[in-house]
Amino acid sequence: METTEGGRTAEAGAAPAGGAPVIRTQGLTKRFGGGQLAVDGLDLTVPRGSVFGFLGPNGSGKTTTIRMLMGLIAPTSGVATVLGESMPQATSLVLPRVGALIEGPALYGYLSGRDNLARFDAADPTADPRTRKARVGAALERVGLSAAAGKKARAYSLGMKQRLGLAAALLQPRELLVLDEPTNGLDPQGMREIRALVREVAAEGTTVFLSSHLLDEIEQVCTHAAVMSKGRLLVQGTVAELAARAQGRLVVRTPAVAKAAEVLREHGVTDVRPAEGRVDGALEAAGDELLPGLCAALVAAGVPVHGFGVERGTLEDAFVALTGEGFDVAG
């Protein structure tokens, strides 16, 4: 994997053999009136067949990027290609091949959920009106809204509206599914169901591009990810590779916490944190090759070692190391 750090871009996450990237941007930039730089020189590569997590806190430029990819707004500079076509120039060619849920669904409040989907389907020039009823029914069933299909959309909860928007994106098989915060407003069970649905859609061969501020969401469903912060791409690659970037921590389980902490500090372990029945420390100054010596030093000092090992970093650790910011993990 090649990664992007400190605002520099790279050809990360190259497409698997057998297909060009589904999304590729080069120097993509968006500056709004007043000089606000929302997206700054973005080089992004989304492999075909991936579930790609677009990760970053609110305000990091995720939604602006998605709007440029979908041709909703034009970039100030740079290039975006989606399904091999330049955007926004090829919007009419690309969008029929894409299902999207961006910034929440735009619904007709006075229509039922079923009638909303029928309207969306009728607006698709590729949709066969003879099979519309079956297609709408299948989409409602897929997102768990069959029982509420006759209710007016204005009576839907936020989570139900999200489900209906996702159903609209799934009315027909698509090559690419673009989801902007798809679990927004859902309870934990609803989140699990949507994640399962994303996996199912991906298993059918659709590339999924999913933006989220929830690390848990990215780790559970995505194969690849990119991290945005303040409009710039920090890193991209497989989820496993990104998590592996985080520095692991040495963990010693012992009743002699104070003594163990003293020994670790004496042997170059930094950021030593004593806790109940354990002590852990950063490995920057004491690499894996020093672990046997550290364990021996603890034993020689009379520390009863009940457990000794390295807890590898998570995607959350990697994000904090890259940005210096905390992050929403729940989901």
Side-chain angles (χ1 to χ4, degrees):
M1 175 193 72
E2 297 180 35
T3 56
T4 301
E5 297 186 56
R8 293 174 58 248
T9 51
E11 295 295 319
V22 168
I23 294 172
R24 182 188 290 274
T25 70
Q26 295 174 295
L28 193 66
T29 299
K30 182 62 180 180
R31 189 182 295 273
F32 289 108
Q36 178 194 356
L37 189 59
V39 178
D40 185 7
L42 176 65
D43 284 13
L44 189 67
T45 303
V46 177
R48 184 173 296 276
S50 64
V51 180
F52 195 100
F54 200 37
L55 183 61
N58 292 328
S60 60
K62 302 189 308 295
T63 297
T64 299
T65 299
I66 289 175
R67 295 181 71 194
M68 286 190 284
L69 292 174
M70 295 294 96
L72 298 175
I73 57 175
T76 304
S77 61
V79 175
T81 60
V82 178
L83 298 173
E85 304 286 349
S86 295
M87 296 294 282
Q89 295 87 347
T91 300
S92 61
L93 294 175
V94 170
L95 293 189
R97 301 157 65 191
V98 178
L101 175 58
I102 303 172
E103 293 185 296
L107 304 175
Y108 298 99
Y110 61 92
L111 294 179
S112 68
R114 180 182 291 107
D115 288 342
N116 265 280
L117 290 191
R119 283 283 185 97
F120 291 135
D121 194 71
D124 183 348
T126 69
D128 184 348
R130 295 170 297 180
T131 56
R132 179 164 298 138
K133 183 177 180 181
R135 199 160 44 248
V136 167
L140 288 165
E141 177 70 25
R142 204 167 192 189
V143 300
L145 282 180
S146 293
K151 288 180 64 174
K152 295 284 194 292
R154 62 170 167 257
Y156 278 19
S157 67
L158 176 59
M160 292 170 72
K161 290 176 180 177
Q162 284 292 103
R163 289 172 183 268
L164 190 61
L166 187 54
L170 295 171
L171 279 166
Q172 295 213 73
R174 307 290 185 183
E175 292 180 55
L176 172 64
L177 183 62
V178 177
L179 304 175
D180 187 14
E181 302 282 357
T183 60
N184 185 37
L186 297 179
D187 59 21
Q189 178 60 29
M191 289 181 175
R192 286 191 289 271
E193 291 171 357
I194 296 304
R195 290 169 182 162
L197 181 57
V198 167
R199 295 188 195 100
E200 178 186 320
V201 170
E204 294 169 356
T206 299
T207 302
V208 181
F209 185 82
L210 182 158
S211 86
S212 180
H213 67 282
L214 298 176
L215 279 162
D216 188 52
E217 189 157 79
I218 300 298
E219 287 192 298
Q220 287 193 41
V221 303
C222 294
T223 60
H224 296 69
V227 178
M228 292 282 288
S229 179
K230 300 176 182 177
R232 297 180 70 83
L233 178 67
L234 299 181
V235 65
Q236 61 182 322
T238 69
V239 168
E241 287 169 335
L242 298 190
R245 297 171 57 87
Q247 183 68 51
R249 290 185 67 81
L250 172 65
V251 177
V252 179
R253 300 188 185 280
T254 176
V257 169
K259 182 63 175 178
E262 178 186 342
V263 172
L264 293 180
R265 290 190 185 101
E266 289 174 352
H267 286 78
V269 178
T270 60
D271 191 24
V272 176
R273 303 176 188 173
E276 182 68 30
R278 62 173 274 168
V279 58
D280 61 84
L283 290 173
E284 290 90 349
D288 287 3
E289 69 277 4
L290 300 182
L291 292 178
L294 284 171
C295 189
L298 288 165
V299 173
V303 175
V305 178
H306 296 172
F308 182 91
V310 175
E311 289 186 355
R312 293 300 173 188
T314 65
L315 194 56
E316 179 187 6
D317 297 326
F319 180 88
V320 173
L322 284 164
T323 67
E325 300 181 35
F327 208 77
D328 291 335
V329 182

